Amino acid sequence: MKTDNILLDHGSGGKISHSLITDIMLPIFNNPILSQLNDGAIFDIEGKRLAFSTDTYVVDPIFFPGGNIGTLSINGTVNDIAMCGATPLFLSAGLIIEEGFSLADLKTILQEMSIAAEKAGVKVVTGDTKVVPKGAADKIFINTSGIGIIPKNIDIASHRALPGDKIILSGSIADHGITILTQREGMTFDSSVASDTAPLNHMVKNMLSVCKNIHVLRDPTRGGIGTALNEIAIKSEIGIKIYEEKIPVKNEVAAICELLGFDPVYIANEGNLLAFVPPDHAEKVLDVIRENRFGREACIIGEVVEDNPRKVFMQTRIGGTRIVDMLTGEQLPRIC
Amino acid sequence: MKTDNILLDHGSGGKISHSLITDIMLPIFNNPILSQLNDGAIFDIEGKRLAFSTDTYVVDPIFFPGGNIGTLSINGTVNDIAMCGATPLFLSAGLIIEEGFSLADLKTILQEMSIAAEKAGVKVVTGDTKVVPKGAADKIFINTSGIGIIPKNIDIASHRALPGDKIILSGSIADHGITILTQREGMTFDSSVASDTAPLNHMVKNMLSVCKNIHVLRDPTRGGIGTALNEIAIKSEIGIKIYEEKIPVKNEVAAICELLGFDPVYIANEGNLLAFVPPDHAEKVLDVIRENRFGREACIIGEVVEDNPRKVFMQTRIGGTRIVDMLTGEQLPRIC
């Protein structure tokens, strides 16, 4: 699509976001660390291997079942760092607050951030607060950036998937996105749909303790598992086959998706991960994921294949096969 | 002031911002690194001493004489890291863009960020882009966070000022704030007022090469040198005496301040620094600052005294003395 202006699609995490990043941003900044396009940057400082990640949270509404912009902003960046195989340690918080925002709500959000940081075992060590005049921002936006340290002999990156790898998904999909959507639209379903926002760093630590050779980790946020798998297929130049019947989707979530015409594979998650693991280690890794409270529904949803490089195929429940393409267009703005 | 809602003052960098941070944020996050309230957090990771800083840029207008939101976002975070005595290495960039924003302007801003990063010798290694619907943000906001490494034997912090220290200011004050103000209000002065935005890390490196024992470094952004000096006086429990006649203010800037009733000591700077240096090293440090292209107007503007701890006094041009209090109220929202 040709356009002279920024569209909501540019922030969707899908095809148009991808082209903004690869066609415009990467050539401008032109450095090999950024070009890796992992969830975080990985680099050495005087022999220590660090992961560094940033994410801005503009979710609307700011409070929702299962969480709020505060918990999301901590868990999201903790997870991005964990997806590099790193132990997250220190976070920053940069707030943009609209004039007139409730001080009580701000306190609640900050307290939720503090609790989330405690649960994840990280510290918020530096911050910045900007207040903009009424109407120049909508309520509150939070940027968190974070630093983690990568243990020796860990090399996790989206280009490292290999044919034969088993693909593990740690939990049911689309919970976060469907929660935000239904809240925002004021839909009242008699359901217990809630965001899955959760810190996954302890899970990752346990996974690495049984298999140092995990090839790829990814938390499928904006764009869902569909977009995440496509990005990995492209970066690793491999094909991916997944099985629809293996992918856990909660009944209520599936029902809402069906009602509204959304495909859950493209809906955002905030508390699950995809892991690409050599086949001989897959069961062991799966076991430790299931021991984690956020990984009880974990299962192997597919594998890496040599055929059809850069493509993701899904075997459907009725036995057919369809391409899972990268998302085009924005389904849900301000989802995180 | 008692209020249930966030005011512009909460983001001013002055007294009310200070109380938001010390009365609300610090108790909630409750950790000793954050509580230091330096320009960046300072901590160890496996024996390496790092500085980590974050800043969000919401400046309006986004393009102005001397710079733009892109250059500002790089230089500002580079400087915050440099003020910890660290060598800045890696930056993140988190963008919030309003739907409909010009793609050409975005490219210009990104290119300016890249050029600024090149000049400062840092790399933008990770990023995030969010697009919000029209009206939910004003044009573009940029968060940058950054990491630097602190050389051995450097201990720079706002609580380290000591009686006898000379206070060096590296350049003329109020250039940035007055530029933004006159641009925003559409004032047309026949003048060459321009933002001073500049990377100060090379200057700091040279300063440390002649004096490892610099006690405090601070770039006086929001709230100007008045607020920065007050913060240092409070943290170090010392008194500060400065001399009005020593403080460089460009003629045009002074004239605009006079016309509009602003005190230049409270106006934001983006390319100068304050250094608290033991008296026997002050001249040497001053010399290397003056060798830097951003430090040609540097001079010693005052000293640390034992009297009147936690207060800043200014000897005025006509020989009187006045207290320079911490700024109360917001003079200029969205200045950076």
Side-chain angles (χ1 to χ4, degrees):
Chain A
M1 191 187 310
K2 255 321 231 191
T3 168
D4 295 331
N5 296 91
I6 289 288
L7 309 173
L8 285 173
D9 295 354
H10 282 111
S12 66
K15 224 174 217 172
I16 296 176
S17 307
H18 202 254
S19 99
L20 174 68
I21 293 167
T22 51
D23 301 342
I24 296 180
M25 296 187 177
L26 292 190
I28 288 176
F29 289 105
N30 184 29
N31 75 65
I33 303 172
L34 182 65
S35 303
Q36 296 276 327
L37 291 184
N38 288 311
D39 277 337
I42 295 170
F43 48 75
D44 269 42
I45 294 185
E46 295 190 353
K48 302 293 171 194
R49 213 140 148 267
L50 301 178
F52 178 35
S53 187
T54 193
D55 229 327
T56 307
Y57 299 84
V58 297
V59 66
D60 175 38
I62 53 178
F63 297 100
F64 45 82
N68 53 70
I69 192 171
T71 48
L72 206 61
S73 72
I74 299 293
N75 291 338
T77 293
V78 161
N79 292 347
D80 281 345
I81 296 168
M83 297 308 125
C84 302
T87 304
L89 299 171
F90 300 109
L91 261 57
S92 65
L95 311 181
I96 301 174
I97 313 175
E98 185 185 15
E99 181 188 12
F101 186 70
S102 151
L103 205 48
D105 283 350
L106 177 63
K107 280 184 202 169
T108 304
I109 290 167
L110 294 170
Q111 277 155 354
E112 292 284 338
M113 289 177 77
S114 176
I115 294 166
E118 177 90 27
K119 284 186 185 165
V122 299
K123 286 193 193 316
V124 177
V125 291
T126 190
D128 176 58
T129 305
K130 293 284 163 26
V131 180
V132 297
K134 199 151 182 66
D138 185 23
K139 299 184 283 289
I140 185 168
F141 301 145
I142 302 177
N143 175 284
T144 52
S145 303
I147 303 176
I149 184 144
I150 304 179
K152 280 199 199 309
N153 304 319
I154 301 293
D155 182 13
I156 293 170
S158 48
H159 67 267
R160 291 202 64 231
L162 285 179
D165 280 357
K166 294 293 179 191
I167 302 170
I168 303 174
L169 174 64
S170 70
S172 66
I173 63 168
D175 293 357
H176 177 75
I178 290 301
T179 302
I180 298 300
L181 177 78
T182 53
Q183 288 293 310
R184 192 151 62 205
E185 305 301 330
M187 294 175 190
T188 50
F189 292 97
D190 182 19
S191 79
S192 55
V193 177
S195 171
D196 58 343
T197 180
L200 300 174
N201 52 323
H202 306 304
M203 180 191 292
V204 169
K205 193 177 174 189
N206 293 340
M207 292 163 69
L208 290 171
S209 75
V210 298
C211 175
K212 284 208 184 310
N213 193 26
I214 293 173
H215 292 151
V216 184
L217 285 175
R218 178 64 69 95
D219 61 331
T221 56
R222 275 182 294 179
I225 64 166
T227 303
L229 292 171
N230 266 283
E231 284 173 3
I232 295 163
I234 292 167
K235 294 288 288 183
S236 294
E237 304 260 351
I238 47 85
I240 287 176
K241 185 167 183 190
I242 56 175
Y243 303 88
E244 188 177 19
E245 63 176 8
K246 301 283 189 189
I247 300 169
V249 188
K250 291 196 177 81
N251 288 337
E252 313 90 273
V253 172
I256 296 169
C257 283
E258 183 136 339
L259 188 70
L260 301 175
F262 285 118
D263 186 340
V265 303
Y266 294 121
I267 304 288
N269 310 281
E270 291 289 342
N272 62 27
L273 60 76
L274 292 161
F276 286 60
V277 181
D280 52 333
H281 282 76
E283 288 297 333
K284 262 200 298 193
V285 171
L286 186 60
D287 286 346
V288 300
I289 294 177
R290 284 182 175 156
E291 284 165 19
N292 185 285
R293 58 178 290 216
F294 306 118
R296 287 179 197 136
E297 299 166 288
C299 52
I300 295 171
I301 62 159
E303 61 260 339
V304 177
V305 294
E306 291 194 46
D307 308 342
N308 301 307
R310 306 168 69 93
K311 297 275 177 221
V312 179
F313 284 86
M314 180 157 79
Q315 186 175 306
T316 63
R317 237 179 225 104
I318 52 167
T321 299
R322 73 171 176 92
I323 288 189
V324 178
D325 204 351
M326 201 175 261
L327 180 68
T328 313
E330 173 59 287
Q331 290 197 312
L332 301 167
R334 299 186 64 186
I335 206 71
C336 62
Chain B
M1 191 186 313
K2 255 320 235 192
T3 169
D4 295 331
N5 296 92
I6 288 288
L7 310 173
L8 285 173
D9 295 354
H10 282 111
S12 66
K15 227 173 216 172
I16 296 176
S17 307
H18 202 255
S19 100
L20 174 68
I21 293 167
T22 52
D23 300 343
I24 298 180
M25 296 187 177
L26 292 190
I28 289 176
F29 288 106
N30 184 27
N31 76 64
I33 302 172
L34 182 65
S35 304
Q36 295 276 329
L37 291 184
N38 287 309
D39 278 337
I42 295 170
F43 47 76
D44 270 42
I45 294 185
E46 295 191 354
K48 301 294 171 192
R49 215 143 146 265
L50 300 179
F52 178 35
S53 188
T54 192
D55 229 327
T56 307
Y57 299 85
V58 297
V59 66
D60 175 38
I62 53 177
F63 296 102
F64 45 82
N68 53 70
I69 193 171
T71 49
L72 206 61
S73 72
I74 299 294
N75 291 338
T77 293
V78 161
N79 292 348
D80 281 346
I81 297 168
M83 296 309 124
C84 301
T87 304
L89 299 170
F90 300 108
L91 261 56
S92 65
L95 311 181
I96 301 174
I97 313 175
E98 184 185 16
E99 181 188 12
F101 187 70
S102 151
L103 205 49
D105 282 350
L106 177 63
K107 279 184 203 170
T108 303
I109 290 165
L110 294 170
Q111 277 156 353
E112 292 283 338
M113 289 178 77
S114 175
I115 293 166
E118 177 91 27
K119 284 185 185 166
V122 298
K123 287 194 194 312
V124 176
V125 292
T126 190
D128 176 58
T129 304
K130 293 282 163 25
V131 179
V132 296
K134 199 152 183 66
D138 185 22
K139 299 185 281 287
I140 184 168
F141 302 145
I142 303 177
N143 175 283
T144 52
S145 303
I147 303 175
I149 184 145
I150 303 178
K152 278 197 201 311
N153 305 318
I154 300 294
D155 182 13
I156 292 170
S158 48
H159 67 267
R160 291 203 65 232
L162 285 179
D165 280 357
K166 294 294 179 189
I167 302 170
I168 303 174
L169 173 65
S170 71
S172 66
I173 63 168
D175 294 357
H176 178 74
I178 290 300
T179 302
I180 298 301
L181 177 79
T182 52
Q183 288 292 311
R184 193 152 62 204
E185 304 302 331
M187 294 175 191
T188 50
F189 293 96
D190 182 18
S191 79
S192 54
V193 178
S195 170
D196 59 342
T197 179
L200 300 174
N201 53 323
H202 306 305
M203 182 192 290
V204 170
K205 193 177 175 190
N206 293 339
M207 292 162 69
L208 290 171
S209 75
V210 297
C211 174
K212 284 207 185 309
N213 194 25
I214 293 172
H215 292 151
V216 184
L217 285 175
R218 178 65 69 93
D219 61 332
T221 55
R222 276 183 292 178
I225 64 166
T227 303
L229 291 172
N230 267 283
E231 284 173 2
I232 295 163
I234 292 166
K235 294 289 287 183
S236 294
E237 303 262 351
I238 46 86
I240 287 176
K241 185 168 184 192
I242 55 174
Y243 303 88
E244 188 177 17
E245 63 176 8
K246 300 284 190 190
I247 300 169
V249 189
K250 291 196 176 82
N251 288 337
E252 313 90 274
V253 171
I256 296 168
C257 283
E258 184 138 337
L259 187 69
L260 300 176
F262 285 118
D263 185 340
V265 302
Y266 294 121
I267 304 289
N269 310 280
E270 290 289 343
N272 62 27
L273 60 78
L274 292 160
F276 286 58
V277 182
D280 53 332
H281 282 77
E283 288 297 333
K284 261 199 298 195
V285 171
L286 186 60
D287 286 347
V288 300
I289 294 177
R290 284 182 174 155
E291 282 165 20
N292 185 286
R293 58 178 291 217
F294 305 118
R296 287 182 196 134
E297 297 165 287
C299 51
I300 294 172
I301 62 160
E303 61 260 339
V304 176
V305 293
E306 292 194 44
D307 307 342
N308 301 305
R310 305 167 70 92
K311 297 277 177 216
V312 180
F313 284 86
M314 180 157 79
Q315 185 175 306
T316 63
R317 239 181 223 102
I318 53 167
T321 299
R322 73 172 177 92
I323 287 189
V324 179
D325 203 353
M326 202 176 257
L327 182 68
T328 313
E330 173 61 287
Q331 290 198 313
L332 301 165
R334 298 185 66 186
I335 206 70
C336 61

